[in-house]
PDB file of all heavy atoms in Angstrom:
ATOM      1  N   PHE A1487     -41.946 124.048 -95.321  1.00  0.00           N
ATOM      2  CA  PHE A1487     -42.427 122.785 -95.890  1.00  0.00           C
ATOM      3  C   PHE A1487     -41.801 121.637 -95.102  1.00  0.00           C
ATOM      4  O   PHE A1487     -40.606 121.379 -95.218  1.00  0.00           O
ATOM      5  CB  PHE A1487     -42.051 122.703 -97.366  1.00  0.00           C
ATOM      6  CG  PHE A1487     -42.733 121.583 -98.133  1.00  0.00           C
ATOM      7  CD1 PHE A1487     -42.503 121.441 -99.489  1.00  0.00           C
ATOM      8  CD2 PHE A1487     -43.590 120.692 -97.530  1.00  0.00           C
ATOM      9  CE1 PHE A1487     -43.110 120.429-100.212  1.00  0.00           C
ATOM     10  CE2 PHE A1487     -44.211 119.682 -98.236  1.00  0.00           C
ATOM     11  CZ  PHE A1487     -43.964 119.547 -99.582  1.00  0.00           C
ATOM     12  N   ARG A1488     -42.592 120.973 -94.304  1.00  0.00           N
ATOM     13  CA  ARG A1488     -42.128 119.889 -93.440  1.00  0.00           C
ATOM     14  C   ARG A1488     -42.805 118.573 -93.816  1.00  0.00           C
ATOM     15  O   ARG A1488     -43.885 118.555 -94.389  1.00  0.00           O
ATOM     16  CB  ARG A1488     -42.439 120.222 -91.972  1.00  0.00           C
ATOM     17  CG  ARG A1488     -41.714 121.455 -91.478  1.00  0.00           C
ATOM     18  CD  ARG A1488     -40.233 121.151 -91.325  1.00  0.00           C
ATOM     19  NE  ARG A1488     -39.482 122.333 -90.993  1.00  0.00           N
ATOM     20  CZ  ARG A1488     -38.420 122.746 -91.659  1.00  0.00           C
ATOM     21  NH1 ARG A1488     -38.000 122.080 -92.702  1.00  0.00           N
ATOM     22  NH2 ARG A1488     -37.759 123.802 -91.278  1.00  0.00           N
ATOM     23  N   PRO A1489     -42.168 117.461 -93.463  1.00  0.00           N
ATOM     24  CA  PRO A1489     -42.777 116.155 -93.745  1.00  0.00           C
ATOM     25  C   PRO A1489     -44.112 115.999 -93.026  1.00  0.00           C
ATOM     26  O   PRO A1489     -44.317 116.562 -91.952  1.00  0.00           O
ATOM     27  CB  PRO A1489     -41.755 115.162 -93.187  1.00  0.00           C
ATOM     28  CG  PRO A1489     -40.478 115.917 -93.118  1.00  0.00           C
ATOM     29  CD  PRO A1489     -40.851 117.340 -92.841  1.00  0.00           C
ATOM     30  N   VAL A1490     -45.003 115.225 -93.649  1.00  0.00           N
ATOM     31  CA  VAL A1490     -46.290 114.920 -93.025  1.00  0.00           C
ATOM     32  C   VAL A1490     -46.556 113.424 -93.145  1.00  0.00           C
ATOM     33  O   VAL A1490     -46.080 112.772 -94.076  1.00  0.00           O
ATOM     34  CB  VAL A1490     -47.470 115.703 -93.660  1.00  0.00           C
ATOM     35  CG1 VAL A1490     -47.347 117.181 -93.404  1.00  0.00           C
ATOM     36  CG2 VAL A1490     -47.604 115.424 -95.128  1.00  0.00           C
ATOM     37  N   VAL A1491     -47.295 112.899 -92.188  1.00  0.00           N
ATOM     38  CA  VAL A1491     -47.697 111.494 -92.201  1.00  0.00           C
ATOM     39  C   VAL A1491     -49.187 111.457 -92.531  1.00  0.00           C
ATOM     40  O   VAL A1491     -49.991 112.135 -91.889  1.00  0.00           O
ATOM     41  CB  VAL A1491     -47.433 110.811 -90.845  1.00  0.00           C
ATOM     42  CG1 VAL A1491     -47.919 109.366 -90.868  1.00  0.00           C
ATOM     43  CG2 VAL A1491     -45.953 110.869 -90.495  1.00  0.00           C
ATOM     44  N   LEU A1492     -49.527 110.668 -93.534  1.00  0.00           N
ATOM     45  CA  LEU A1492     -50.910 110.513 -93.981  1.00  0.00           C
ATOM     46  C   LEU A1492     -51.408 109.122 -93.610  1.00  0.00           C
ATOM     47  O   LEU A1492     -50.613 108.191 -93.444  1.00  0.00           O
ATOM     48  CB  LEU A1492     -50.992 110.666 -95.504  1.00  0.00           C
ATOM     49  CG  LEU A1492     -50.508 111.988 -96.083  1.00  0.00           C
ATOM     50  CD1 LEU A1492     -50.479 111.923 -97.606  1.00  0.00           C
ATOM     51  CD2 LEU A1492     -51.388 113.125 -95.611  1.00  0.00           C
ATOM     52  N   PRO A1493     -52.717 108.945 -93.495  1.00  0.00           N
ATOM     53  CA  PRO A1493     -53.243 107.599 -93.226  1.00  0.00           C
ATOM     54  C   PRO A1493     -53.007 106.687 -94.424  1.00  0.00           C
ATOM     55  O   PRO A1493     -52.849 107.153 -95.551  1.00  0.00           O
ATOM     56  CB  PRO A1493     -54.738 107.836 -92.994  1.00  0.00           C
ATOM     57  CG  PRO A1493     -55.034 109.113 -93.690  1.00  0.00           C
ATOM     58  CD  PRO A1493     -53.778 109.943 -93.621  1.00  0.00           C
ATOM     59  N   ASP A1494     -53.003 105.388 -94.168  1.00  0.00           N
ATOM     60  CA  ASP A1494     -52.752 104.434 -95.251  1.00  0.00           C
ATOM     61  C   ASP A1494     -53.878 104.402 -96.275  1.00  0.00           C
ATOM     62  O   ASP A1494     -53.725 103.851 -97.355  1.00  0.00           O
ATOM     63  CB  ASP A1494     -52.473 103.037 -94.706  1.00  0.00           C
ATOM     64  CG  ASP A1494     -53.673 102.410 -94.006  1.00  0.00           C
ATOM     65  OD1 ASP A1494     -54.587 103.155 -93.600  1.00  0.00           O
ATOM     66  OD2 ASP A1494     -53.682 101.176 -93.857  1.00  0.00           O
ATOM     67  N   SER A1495     -54.996 105.027 -95.967  1.00  0.00           N
ATOM     68  CA  SER A1495     -56.106 105.088 -96.923  1.00  0.00           C
ATOM     69  C   SER A1495     -55.917 106.201 -97.954  1.00  0.00           C
ATOM     70  O   SER A1495     -56.653 106.271 -98.940  1.00  0.00           O
ATOM     71  CB  SER A1495     -57.424 105.317 -96.177  1.00  0.00           C
ATOM     72  OG  SER A1495     -57.366 106.541 -95.457  1.00  0.00           O
ATOM     73  N   ALA A1496     -54.920 107.060 -97.743  1.00  0.00           N
ATOM     74  CA  ALA A1496     -54.699 108.188 -98.649  1.00  0.00           C
ATOM     75  C   ALA A1496     -54.209 107.715-100.013  1.00  0.00           C
ATOM     76  O   ALA A1496     -53.415 106.779-100.109  1.00  0.00           O
ATOM     77  CB  ALA A1496     -53.680 109.152 -98.054  1.00  0.00           C
ATOM     78  N   VAL A1497     -54.707 108.368-101.047  1.00  0.00           N
ATOM     79  CA  VAL A1497     -54.203 108.158-102.404  1.00  0.00           C
ATOM     80  C   VAL A1497     -53.540 109.472-102.798  1.00  0.00           C
ATOM     81  O   VAL A1497     -54.181 110.518-102.826  1.00  0.00           O
ATOM     82  CB  VAL A1497     -55.343 107.800-103.387  1.00  0.00           C
ATOM     83  CG1 VAL A1497     -54.804 107.690-104.804  1.00  0.00           C
ATOM     84  CG2 VAL A1497     -56.015 106.505-102.959  1.00  0.00           C
ATOM     85  N   VAL A1498     -52.242 109.406-103.059  1.00  0.00           N
ATOM     86  CA  VAL A1498     -51.453 110.598-103.361  1.00  0.00           C
ATOM     87  C   VAL A1498     -51.220 110.675-104.863  1.00  0.00           C
ATOM     88  O   VAL A1498     -50.731 109.719-105.469  1.00  0.00           O
ATOM     89  CB  VAL A1498     -50.096 110.565-102.617  1.00  0.00           C
ATOM     90  CG1 VAL A1498     -49.260 111.793-102.954  1.00  0.00           C
ATOM     91  CG2 VAL A1498     -50.307 110.444-101.112  1.00  0.00           C
ATOM     92  N   THR A1499     -51.567 111.803-105.443  1.00  0.00           N
ATOM     93  CA  THR A1499     -51.307 112.047-106.858  1.00  0.00           C
ATOM     94  C   THR A1499     -50.294 113.183-106.955  1.00  0.00           C
ATOM     95  O   THR A1499     -50.449 114.215-106.303  1.00  0.00           O
ATOM     96  CB  THR A1499     -52.597 112.426-107.609  1.00  0.00           C
ATOM     97  OG1 THR A1499     -53.543 111.363-107.444  1.00  0.00           O
ATOM     98  CG2 THR A1499     -52.336 112.643-109.089  1.00  0.00           C
ATOM     99  N   VAL A1500     -49.260 112.961-107.732  1.00  0.00           N
ATOM    100  CA  VAL A1500     -48.232 113.976-107.970  1.00  0.00           C
ATOM    101  C   VAL A1500     -48.264 114.293-109.452  1.00  0.00           C
ATOM    102  O   VAL A1500     -48.134 113.399-110.287  1.00  0.00           O
ATOM    103  CB  VAL A1500     -46.832 113.483-107.543  1.00  0.00           C
ATOM    104  CG1 VAL A1500     -45.777 114.555-107.796  1.00  0.00           C
ATOM    105  CG2 VAL A1500     -46.840 113.054-106.077  1.00  0.00           C
ATOM    106  N   ARG A1501     -48.430 115.576-109.770  1.00  0.00           N
ATOM    107  CA  ARG A1501     -48.585 116.005-111.162  1.00  0.00           C
ATOM    108  C   ARG A1501     -47.571 117.085-111.491  1.00  0.00           C
ATOM    109  O   ARG A1501     -47.321 117.987-110.697  1.00  0.00           O
ATOM    110  CB  ARG A1501     -49.997 116.551-111.365  1.00  0.00           C
ATOM    111  CG  ARG A1501     -50.324 116.957-112.779  1.00  0.00           C
ATOM    112  CD  ARG A1501     -51.783 117.409-112.886  1.00  0.00           C
ATOM    113  NE  ARG A1501     -52.074 117.862-114.214  1.00  0.00           N
ATOM    114  CZ  ARG A1501     -51.843 119.108-114.651  1.00  0.00           C
ATOM    115  NH1 ARG A1501     -51.325 119.993-113.856  1.00  0.00           N
ATOM    116  NH2 ARG A1501     -52.138 119.436-115.893  1.00  0.00           N
ATOM    117  N   VAL A1502     -46.968 116.994-112.671  1.00  0.00           N
ATOM    118  CA  VAL A1502     -46.077 118.041-113.163  1.00  0.00           C
ATOM    119  C   VAL A1502     -46.961 119.072-113.866  1.00  0.00           C
ATOM    120  O   VAL A1502     -47.585 118.760-114.878  1.00  0.00           O
ATOM    121  CB  VAL A1502     -45.031 117.476-114.152  1.00  0.00           C
ATOM    122  CG1 VAL A1502     -44.092 118.585-114.615  1.00  0.00           C
ATOM    123  CG2 VAL A1502     -44.259 116.325-113.528  1.00  0.00           C
ATOM    124  N   PRO A1503     -47.048 120.297-113.325  1.00  0.00           N
ATOM    125  CA  PRO A1503     -47.937 121.279-113.939  1.00  0.00           C
ATOM    126  C   PRO A1503     -47.436 121.746-115.301  1.00  0.00           C
ATOM    127  O   PRO A1503     -46.236 121.669-115.602  1.00  0.00           O
ATOM    128  CB  PRO A1503     -47.958 122.432-112.932  1.00  0.00           C
ATOM    129  CG  PRO A1503     -46.735 122.266-112.107  1.00  0.00           C
ATOM    130  CD  PRO A1503     -46.379 120.803-112.133  1.00  0.00           C
ATOM    131  N   ALA A1504     -48.359 122.237-116.108  1.00  0.00           N
ATOM    132  CA  ALA A1504     -48.023 122.704-117.460  1.00  0.00           C
ATOM    133  C   ALA A1504     -47.057 123.879-117.436  1.00  0.00           C
ATOM    134  O   ALA A1504     -46.277 124.067-118.366  1.00  0.00           O
ATOM    135  CB  ALA A1504     -49.305 123.083-118.203  1.00  0.00           C
ATOM    136  N   ASN A1505     -47.061 124.653-116.346  1.00  0.00           N
ATOM    137  CA  ASN A1505     -46.181 125.829-116.272  1.00  0.00           C
ATOM    138  C   ASN A1505     -44.851 125.538-115.567  1.00  0.00           C
ATOM    139  O   ASN A1505     -44.142 126.459-115.173  1.00  0.00           O
ATOM    140  CB  ASN A1505     -46.902 126.996-115.603  1.00  0.00           C
ATOM    141  CG  ASN A1505     -47.234 126.716-114.142  1.00  0.00           C
ATOM    142  OD1 ASN A1505     -47.054 125.605-113.648  1.00  0.00           O
ATOM    143  ND2 ASN A1505     -47.738 127.735-113.463  1.00  0.00           N
ATOM    144  N   SER A1506     -44.498 124.270-115.423  1.00  0.00           N
ATOM    145  CA  SER A1506     -43.231 123.892-114.796  1.00  0.00           C
ATOM    146  C   SER A1506     -42.052 124.310-115.669  1.00  0.00           C
ATOM    147  O   SER A1506     -42.091 124.160-116.887  1.00  0.00           O
ATOM    148  CB  SER A1506     -43.194 122.376-114.582  1.00  0.00           C
ATOM    149  OG  SER A1506     -41.959 121.967-114.069  1.00  0.00           O
ATOM    150  N   ARG A1507     -41.009 124.873-115.068  1.00  0.00           N
ATOM    151  CA  ARG A1507     -39.811 125.248-115.836  1.00  0.00           C
ATOM    152  C   ARG A1507     -39.135 124.038-116.445  1.00  0.00           C
ATOM    153  O   ARG A1507     -38.647 124.068-117.549  1.00  0.00           O
ATOM    154  CB  ARG A1507     -38.798 125.967-114.937  1.00  0.00           C
ATOM    155  CG  ARG A1507     -39.130 127.391-114.675  1.00  0.00           C
ATOM    156  CD  ARG A1507     -37.972 128.051-113.958  1.00  0.00           C
ATOM    157  NE  ARG A1507     -38.289 129.437-113.665  1.00  0.00           N
ATOM    158  CZ  ARG A1507     -37.447 130.260-113.095  1.00  0.00           C
ATOM    159  NH1 ARG A1507     -36.252 129.841-112.740  1.00  0.00           N
ATOM    160  NH2 ARG A1507     -37.799 131.492-112.863  1.00  0.00           N
ATOM    161  N   SER A1508     -39.091 122.969-115.654  1.00  0.00           N
ATOM    162  CA  SER A1508     -38.474 121.737-116.136  1.00  0.00           C
ATOM    163  C   SER A1508     -39.479 120.970-116.998  1.00  0.00           C
ATOM    164  O   SER A1508     -40.609 120.746-116.587  1.00  0.00           O
ATOM    165  CB  SER A1508     -38.038 120.882-114.948  1.00  0.00           C
ATOM    166  OG  SER A1508     -37.362 119.740-115.369  1.00  0.00           O
ATOM    167  N   SER A1509     -39.042 120.573-118.180  1.00  0.00           N
ATOM    168  CA  SER A1509     -39.965 119.879-119.090  1.00  0.00           C
ATOM    169  C   SER A1509     -40.145 118.413-118.729  1.00  0.00           C
ATOM    170  O   SER A1509     -41.061 117.765-119.211  1.00  0.00           O
ATOM    171  CB  SER A1509     -39.464 119.994-120.532  1.00  0.00           C
ATOM    172  OG  SER A1509     -38.199 119.382-120.658  1.00  0.00           O
ATOM    173  N   ARG A1510     -39.253 117.878-117.884  1.00  0.00           N
ATOM    174  CA  ARG A1510     -39.398 116.473-117.487  1.00  0.00           C
ATOM    175  C   ARG A1510     -38.937 116.276-116.061  1.00  0.00           C
ATOM    176  O   ARG A1510     -38.083 116.998-115.552  1.00  0.00           O
ATOM    177  CB  ARG A1510     -38.633 115.559-118.429  1.00  0.00           C
ATOM    178  CG  ARG A1510     -37.157 115.763-118.398  1.00  0.00           C
ATOM    179  CD  ARG A1510     -36.454 114.935-119.453  1.00  0.00           C
ATOM    180  NE  ARG A1510     -35.024 114.993-119.187  1.00  0.00           N
ATOM    181  CZ  ARG A1510     -34.283 113.938-118.964  1.00  0.00           C
ATOM    182  NH1 ARG A1510     -34.802 112.740-119.014  1.00  0.00           N
ATOM    183  NH2 ARG A1510     -33.006 114.079-118.720  1.00  0.00           N
TER     184      ARG A1510
END
Side-chain angles (χ1 to χ4, degrees):
F1487 192 178
R1488 297 289 174 233
V1490 294
V1491 177
L1492 301 173
D1494 66 340
S1495 60
V1497 176
V1498 179
T1499 302
V1500 180
R1501 183 177 177 275
V1502 182
N1505 65 353
S1506 176
R1507 282 188 181 183
S1508 184
S1509 62
R1510 64 186 191 122

